[in-house]
Amino acid sequence: NHSLTTTGVEINDSSQELFISSSAFKVKHDGEITGSQVDFTGGTIGGFTLTSTSISSSNNNLFQHQL
């Protein structure tokens, strides 16, 4: 077993599906993150800027439907 485990958290090598795993937060080796009640305080996701009070983009379009 190539894992580092402490109370409630497990960190695995590439032979396991998840890199970091706890009951409410999981990270896959490819960077995919899932969680419940996640609290991001800022940063960017897919080109959108996140702050504690807003989500914005460089052109201020949060959704644009193209026909």
Side-chain angles (χ1 to χ4, degrees), residues 11-64:
I11 299 174
N12 298 305
D13 70 6
S14 61
S15 68
Q16 303 293 312
E17 179 184 3
L18 297 171
F19 174 60
I20 300 173
S21 178
S22 73
S23 62
F25 181 76
K26 300 183 183 334
V27 179
K28 291 186 175 182
H29 290 278
D30 65 3
E32 180 181 320
I33 299 172
T34 59
S36 60
Q37 298 181 349
V38 177
D39 183 14
F40 291 107
T41 57
T44 59
I45 296 177
F48 291 95
T49 301
L50 298 143
T51 71
S52 61
T53 59
S54 69
I55 300 173
S56 61
S57 67
S58 61
N59 62 6
N60 291 320
N61 285 330
L62 293 182
F63 179 81
Q64 183 176 14

